[in-house]
Amino acid sequence: MPRRDALPRLAAMQPTPSSTPPTWLDLAADDPFGIDNLPYGVFSTEGTAPRVGVRVGDRVLDLAPCAEDAGMESALVWRAETLNPFLALGAHAWRSAREWVTEILVNDSYRDAVEPHLLPLSDVTMHLPIAVADYVDFYASEHHASNVGRIFRPDSEPLTPNWKHLPIGYHGRSGTVVLSGTDIVRPCGQRKPPTADAPTFGASQRLDIEAELGFVVGGSTDLGEPVPLDRADEHLFGVVILNDWSARDIQAWEYVPLGPFLGKSFATSISPWVVTMDALRAARVPLPGQDPAPLDYLRGAPTEDGASTAYGLDIDYEVEWNGTVVSRPAYRDMYWSPAQMLTHLTVNGATVRPGDLFGSGTVSGPAKETRGCFLELSWSGQEPVRLGDGSERTFLEDGDTVVLRASAPGPHGTRIGLGECSGTVRPARTP
Ligand code: CA
C-alpha cells in the first residue's frame, strides 16, 4: 500500500462530491452504513485488545493495521482503546481521516491491502466508544419541556421564564454512561407521591426512557476560553443515540431546587457507532424558529452556503418497546441547535475536553406519536400505551426492552444510519 502522510497534517477542504463515490465494496445503494456514513466505534475480536474501527455495511474496518501497513504514524491513534486520542487531534485531523478512509474504500488499488482488515460485524464485540469526560444533558425540545411542565407543574406556565433565552442543562454522571445492550438495574431511592404525607424508600415505580441525541466533543480549550458559536463545529465531532433512563418518582421528589440527581445518574445508554457531523451535512436544516431572538452570543450567523451556524438536524427516531414501535420523534423539531448548546456550556469559560458528551434532551414533537419518553406518551400514567402482544404499559416493567433507532438523510438520496441503542430493565437490588 502506498505510504501516506500522518493524520494530523492539515488537509485542504475538498468540495462536496457531486455524487456518492463508487466503491469496490459490495454494498447496497440504500445501506444505512454506506460509503457516505463511515461512523467510528471501538471493537475487539476474540483474544485481541479493543481498538478503533469504522463500520461499513455489515463489516468493521480495522483501522490500525491499515495505517500500520502504510507506515502511518496515526496507527497509534487507532490502536487506542477509546476514540479520545483521535478526538484530541481536532477537526483538521478528523477531516483527513475521513478522506483517507473514504479513499482506501473507494480506490480499487487499495482493495488487496484493505480487504483482509474488513471483519464481519458478527465476529466483533463492541465497546464504549469514548471514555466520557464531562457529561451534560440539555432540555432543547420545546414540546418535551412544555409537556413535562404541564405534568410536573400543572398550576404554572408550561415553560419556565428562562427557557427560550438559554439552553437549559445540568451536569450528569459521566461514569454511568454505558454501551447499548447493557442491562439497566431498576434504581431505588426516595419517592413521595403528591398525596402522601412523607417520603418512602424503594424501587422506582415510574421508570422511563428519554430518546435523545448525544453529541461527542473533541479538541480542547483553555480554562476561561469560551467557544464562540461560529467555532462550535470545530469541537462537534459526531453523534450517538442516547437513552437518558429516568426514574420519574425519584426525580419529581428530588429535583427542586437544584435539578436532576439520582433519578437520572444510575445509567445513560449510548449507541456504539459515532456518526460524524461530516456524515450529517445533508441532514442540516434550519431551526424551527426562535422567538424571542436569543442574546447575541447565541445568535446564528450566515455560513458560506447560505445556511446558519445555528442549524438543526433532520434525524428520524423510532422508539420500540418490547418489539412494538410506540413513537417516532423527529430531531428537526428541536428548538436549540447543537452549536448553541456547546457555546452556552462554555460561555462562562468552562473547558472542553476530548470525550465530552452532551445530550440534547428528550426529542419530542408536537403530536402524541412523536413523544420521546413514556411520561409524555402515557401522560404521567393516565393514558396506557398498548403493545403488540395486547399488554398495556405506562412505565417500564422488569424484563422490558427498549430499542431506540435513528437515521438521517445522506447525500444523493442515501440514508445515514445511526444504528440502535437498546437496554433491558432488570429487577432492583435493594440495599
Ligand atoms: Ca434528559
Side-chain angles (χ1 to χ4, degrees):
M1 208 150 85
R3 187 188 174 94
R4 285 184 44 93
D5 289 338
L7 261 191
R9 180 179 63 91
L10 200 155
M13 272 270 272
Q14 298 295 315
T16 307
S18 57
S19 65
T20 294
T23 167
W24 51 261
L25 291 158
D26 184 22
L27 278 175
D30 61 351
D31 194 310
F33 292 94
I35 201 74
D36 294 314
N37 191 346
L38 305 178
Y40 294 90
V42 171
F43 75 99
S44 62
T45 50
E46 204 178 337
T48 68
R51 57 197 181 275
V52 177
V54 161
R55 179 168 175 183
V56 53
D58 289 328
R59 291 186 280 180
V60 179
L61 179 61
D62 192 352
L63 291 176
C66 293
E68 284 158 2
D69 289 352
M72 293 166 69
E73 291 169 29
S74 64
L76 280 176
V77 165
W78 310 130
R79 280 276 167 223
E81 298 197 352
T82 68
L83 286 172
N84 293 46
F86 179 48
L87 294 172
L89 296 180
H92 293 304
W94 307 340
R95 192 167 300 122
S96 296
R98 185 170 171 81
E99 288 168 1
W100 170 63
V101 173
T102 303
E103 187 180 343
I104 63 176
L105 292 174
V106 165
N107 188 329
D108 205 52
S109 66
Y110 292 98
R111 181 172 186 162
D112 289 346
V114 169
E115 210 159 27
H117 304 307
L118 278 167
L119 313 171
L121 203 53
S122 53
D123 288 356
V124 309
T125 301
M126 297 306 296
H127 303 270
L128 199 62
I130 53 173
V132 183
D134 285 298
Y135 169 52
V136 164
D137 196 20
F138 283 98
Y139 197 46
S141 161
E142 181 177 1
H143 305 288
H144 173 71
S146 300
N147 285 335
V148 171
R150 288 188 189 101
I151 291 168
F152 275 19
R153 300 179 301 277
D155 301 324
S156 313
E157 282 293 313
L159 290 180
T160 50
N162 55 359
W163 199 91
K164 289 198 169 183
H165 294 282
L166 52 86
I168 290 179
Y170 67 96
H171 279 270
R173 193 168 187 85
S174 51
T176 50
V177 175
V178 297
L179 186 68
S180 168
T182 303
D183 282 348
I184 304 301
V185 176
R186 181 180 298 276
C188 290
Q190 285 196 26
R191 53 281 141 99
K192 191 189 87 63
T195 50
D197 295 330
T200 56
F201 179 86
S204 171
Q205 292 162 6
R206 290 162 70 88
L207 184 58
D208 196 358
I209 63 144
E210 292 193 338
E212 302 194 17
L213 194 61
F215 291 88
V216 173
V217 173
S220 55
T221 57
D222 295 330
L223 189 64
E225 176 195 356
V227 176
L229 196 66
D230 63 359
R231 299 193 65 179
D233 278 346
E234 293 173 24
H235 295 282
L236 293 170
F237 172 74
V239 299
V240 288
I241 304 170
L242 185 149
N243 186 348
D244 174 23
W245 303 92
S246 299
R248 300 301 182 191
D249 41 3
I250 297 171
Q251 180 187 358
W253 171 231
E254 74 177 2
Y255 88 107
V256 179
L258 288 184
F261 186 30
L262 303 179
K264 301 277 196 177
S265 63
F266 56 95
T268 305
S269 302
I270 62 171
S271 53
W273 295 106
V274 184
V275 173
T276 64
M277 296 304 282
D278 278 338
L280 291 172
R281 287 202 80 88
R284 292 188 183 190
V285 288
L287 297 174
Q290 296 185 322
D291 183 22
L295 292 173
D296 279 350
Y297 79 97
L298 287 174
R299 203 170 293 180
T303 55
E304 282 175 16
D305 54 4
S308 169
T309 49
Y311 56 85
L313 291 168
D314 183 11
I315 299 176
D316 290 325
Y317 273 75
E318 195 173 87
V319 179
E320 187 185 276
W321 195 345
N322 292 349
T324 302
V325 175
V326 295
S327 177
R328 296 183 192 278
Y331 195 85
R332 61 185 162 274
D333 291 325
M334 301 296 271
Y335 189 90
W336 293 103
S337 85
Q340 286 174 324
M341 289 188 267
L342 183 66
T343 292
H344 185 65
L345 84 78
T346 64
V347 74
N348 64 348
T351 45
V352 164
R353 294 192 291 169
D356 280 357
L357 174 71
F358 67 88
S360 60
T362 308
V363 182
S364 285
K368 178 170 180 175
E369 62 273 15
T370 61
R371 294 172 184 164
C373 72
F374 302 149
L375 175 76
E376 291 171 86
L377 210 55
S378 73
W379 207 255
S380 196
Q382 295 170 46
E383 301 168 17
V385 177
R386 183 175 288 272
L387 304 183
D389 63 359
S391 64
E392 289 190 336
R393 289 287 190 283
T394 50
F395 293 96
L396 289 159
E397 296 185 6
D398 290 347
D400 280 3
T401 296
V402 173
V403 182
L404 308 178
R405 297 190 186 84
S407 67
H412 330 294
T414 57
R415 293 295 289 178
I416 301 291
L418 277 68
E420 58 181 48
C421 181
S422 68
T424 298
V425 178
R426 299 302 176 198
R429 295 182 200 153
T430 43

